[in-house]
Amino acid sequence: MDSLQAGRRDKAVVIGGGIAGLLTARALSDHYAEVVVLDRDGEPGAGVRRPGVPQSFHLHQMLPRGEVILEQLFPGFLDDVLRLGAFPLTEGTLTWINRYGAMTMPAPEQGAVYSRGLVEQAIRARVASIINVHFVYGQTVVELCADDERTRITGVQCRYGSRSEHTNTLSADLVVDASGRSSKLPQWLSALGYGVPPDEVVTSGIGYSTRYYRVPARPNVPTLLVIENDCTTGNPAGGVLKRIEGDVWSTCLTGIGGHYPPTDATGFDQGLTELIDPGLAEALRDAEPLTAPRGFRIPVCVRRHYERMERWPAGLLALGDALSTVDPIYGQGMTVAAIQAESIAACLGEYDGPGFERDALERIQRASYPAWWLSSLEDLRWPGVEHTGGRPFKNVALLHKYFDLALERMTQQFTGTSAFDPTFLSYFALTGLLVSPSEVVNGTMLEALLRGESTEAQQAIRAEISAYGESIATALADAVAVAA
């Protein structure tokens, strides 16, 4: 063991045993002699949905960027989930229906679809096999421990279960809060005398309702079917059908702007017919319901700006939903956690001196901001959704029209209604968090978008561009600068 590991990098403690905590533990295991994961839940069995993850019943999927990171952290991870029963995408089809048409995409050369329980089980097994990572279950962290000057976090105080009066102290050189939406970090920091800045908030009013089915074997049922809502007609209802394990399919109805999908069986069936396309209802014809619908609501999405604090204690970091909660409708959450864990690993590999933690927080925020930016912009299309705190988004109306045309052009690629132009595939890569916004929103892409046939979407952006004149390139650059 080198002197750095034997000294400052002796022990790290991760608060939270969910996806973010597990990926963080893996990232830290290369840099600390011991990594302890504190999980308030008991040790889960195979496929068990943990009480500490109330949204685990609902749809989860790593986006392409997240899958790349998983394979880097755990070589051969795809084989792991396939062995556990995930359905191989190579044997299925993916259909994405939006207001411009229906795209049926060719099966990829590799990939899988799965439930949250299965992918977490696979990640947990890999992390548990790392010799210097240890799990402590049933532990609730009640406060942070600090040195006398309160400039460095030295560990955590925790108790077994939620009602026990007995507490114990666990020392650490680094504490990472990955405890999710229920994070108490703002309160803990305030108790230590640190001023916490206001949160950045998007009042999305998101709701979704999920039900599981057994779908009879028949052709033309996509492995993954996504039906978007339609802001142009004011229809906030979206839907997703995804095969998970075996012949079990998960169906999710979504709503935004305070329009919440029904959670009773009759209402759920009715909701299937209120989407912009009947494809989901048709796919579930004669399907056997396996569960009652179950709902989940998120009134606001929150991004905490710890990197802006005047003072930040050494030995402390935060990531995952403890740092920012992106709109889950776009399926970004697990991928954002993977991006943030990757950022911590990169920071540790480059520098671990004074101020490391603030630098790491800034890097985490930069790396994950495009997901927040993209989902927030989409949410802002709906009445009642507002963005407060943080830097204001620039040229929102321009971006909305730009993305409308990009989506239309990409849809035309897959429906065969226009000549193939690989330029438009960058929009798909952006939604998968594979490329930066600046690689999609730029003058070159705009020229390609405007070369195609004249449509309502194209006419709308031409009218918007007229307000900028020759400065349109600058306007586009300004719009994505905050997402860099």
Side-chain angles (χ1 to χ4, degrees):
M1 184 184 302
D2 61 34
S3 59
L4 185 57
Q5 257 193 333
R8 174 170 162 75
R9 294 184 184 176
D10 181 23
K11 179 190 288 187
V13 167
V14 179
I15 305 173
I19 298 291
L22 294 171
L23 296 179
T24 300
R26 167 62 188 90
L28 296 177
S29 68
D30 291 335
H31 302 278
Y32 286 82
E34 181 183 9
V35 179
V36 179
V37 180
L38 299 177
D39 194 333
R40 64 183 179 186
D41 292 328
E43 183 173 2
V48 172
R49 300 186 187 100
R50 298 184 298 111
V53 188
Q55 73 272 32
S56 63
F57 183 83
H58 305 280
L59 286 175
H60 287 75
Q61 183 73 30
M62 280 285 182
L63 296 178
R65 172 74 183 282
E67 292 177 341
V68 169
I69 295 173
L70 280 182
E71 282 294 329
Q72 291 172 344
L73 294 175
F74 310 108
F77 184 78
L78 176 60
D79 294 333
D80 288 0
V81 294
L82 290 173
R83 279 194 296 269
L84 289 173
F87 187 79
L89 277 176
T90 53
E91 300 178 13
T93 58
L94 293 76
T95 299
W96 179 3
I97 300 173
N98 58 63
R99 55 190 176 275
Y100 300 113
M103 297 181 285
T104 297
M105 305 176 188
E109 295 181 358
Q110 60 181 11
V113 282
Y114 37 71
S115 65
R116 161 66 186 254
L118 186 145
V119 72
E120 184 174 312
Q121 178 186 348
I123 296 173
R124 187 180 299 273
R126 280 294 192 104
V127 174
S129 69
I130 302 173
I131 193 169
N132 61 324
V133 176
H134 310 287
F135 289 83
V136 181
Y137 292 101
Q139 296 288 321
T140 300
V141 176
V142 294
E143 65 180 359
L144 299 174
C145 301
D147 59 10
D148 292 341
E149 292 77 23
R150 297 187 174 185
T151 58
R152 170 174 287 280
I153 301 304
T154 59
V156 296
Q157 192 169 26
C158 50
R159 64 176 178 231
Y160 182 79
S162 58
R163 298 182 180 180
S164 173
E165 296 297 325
H166 176 70
T167 62
N168 62 287
T169 300
L170 185 63
S171 62
D173 300 289
L174 177 69
V175 173
V176 181
D177 182 11
S179 60
R181 299 175 187 276
S182 60
S183 171
K184 299 296 189 295
L185 188 53
Q187 296 93 312
W188 294 339
L189 287 169
S190 295
L192 292 173
Y194 286 85
V196 179
D199 294 332
E200 185 174 357
V201 175
V202 176
T203 56
S204 302
I206 308 150
Y208 41 99
S209 181
T210 302
R211 195 177 195 187
Y212 286 70
Y213 293 84
R214 181 171 287 112
V215 179
R218 61 175 186 267
N220 302 323
V221 176
T223 304
L224 177 63
L225 170 62
V226 178
I227 302 178
E228 288 194 352
N229 53 33
D230 186 358
C231 59
T232 61
T233 62
N235 184 349
V240 181
L241 174 68
K242 187 179 85 164
R243 186 169 186 172
I244 45 176
E245 289 89 62
D247 59 352
V248 176
W249 303 65
S250 179
T251 302
C252 182
L253 296 178
T254 66
I256 191 170
H259 298 277
Y260 302 119
T263 56
D264 62 286
T266 300
F268 194 91
D269 289 341
Q270 177 63 31
L272 295 174
T273 69
E274 295 173 355
L275 305 175
I276 66 171
D277 186 275
L280 204 154
E282 292 173 357
L284 292 176
R285 177 172 43 85
D286 302 326
E288 174 192 357
L290 299 177
T291 68
R294 186 181 301 179
F296 193 76
R297 296 182 179 183
I298 303 174
V300 298
C301 296
V302 176
R303 181 168 178 248
R304 296 191 167 104
H305 285 284
Y306 297 130
E307 81 284 0
R308 297 181 183 174
M309 289 171 54
E310 293 183 6
R311 297 187 303 130
W312 179 262
L316 179 66
L317 290 175
L319 55 61
D321 284 351
L323 186 63
S324 63
T325 54
V326 291
D327 185 339
I329 288 178
Y330 308 107
Q332 299 171 324
M334 295 195 301
T335 298
V336 167
I339 291 170
Q340 293 174 342
E342 180 185 53
S343 297
I344 288 180
C347 286
L348 286 168
E350 296 171 5
Y351 174 73
D352 193 28
F356 153 76
E357 293 84 357
R358 185 179 291 278
D359 290 344
L361 282 173
E362 292 176 351
R363 187 164 183 163
I364 290 167
Q365 290 281 32
R366 286 196 304 271
S368 57
Y369 185 72
W372 170 267
W373 177 82
L374 190 59
S375 63
S376 298
L377 282 173
E378 287 300 308
D379 288 354
L380 285 168
R381 293 176 181 270
W382 296 92
V385 177
E386 296 180 350
H387 172 240
T388 57
R391 293 172 295 182
F393 301 122
K394 294 185 178 180
N395 304 326
V396 173
L398 173 64
L399 286 169
H400 283 165
K401 293 177 175 63
Y402 188 101
F403 286 138
D404 284 344
L405 185 54
L407 177 61
E408 181 181 53
R409 295 299 194 221
M410 190 181 75
T411 304
Q412 291 171 344
Q413 302 286 290
F414 286 95
T415 56
T417 57
S418 69
F420 181 76
D421 186 342
T423 306
F424 302 135
L425 297 182
S426 62
Y427 177 78
F428 183 75
L430 175 61
T431 62
L433 302 181
L434 288 168
V435 301
S436 69
S438 62
E439 294 181 60
V440 179
V441 181
N442 54 60
T444 301
M445 178 74 159
L446 179 60
E447 289 179 6
L449 292 173
L450 296 178
R451 276 198 300 266
E453 65 176 300
S454 177
T455 63
E456 186 175 330
Q458 192 197 69
Q459 293 164 16
I461 195 170
R462 284 189 181 279
E464 187 72 24
I465 289 172
S466 65
Y468 296 91
E470 295 181 356
S471 63
I472 182 61
T474 301
L476 292 175
D478 288 345
V480 297
V482 294

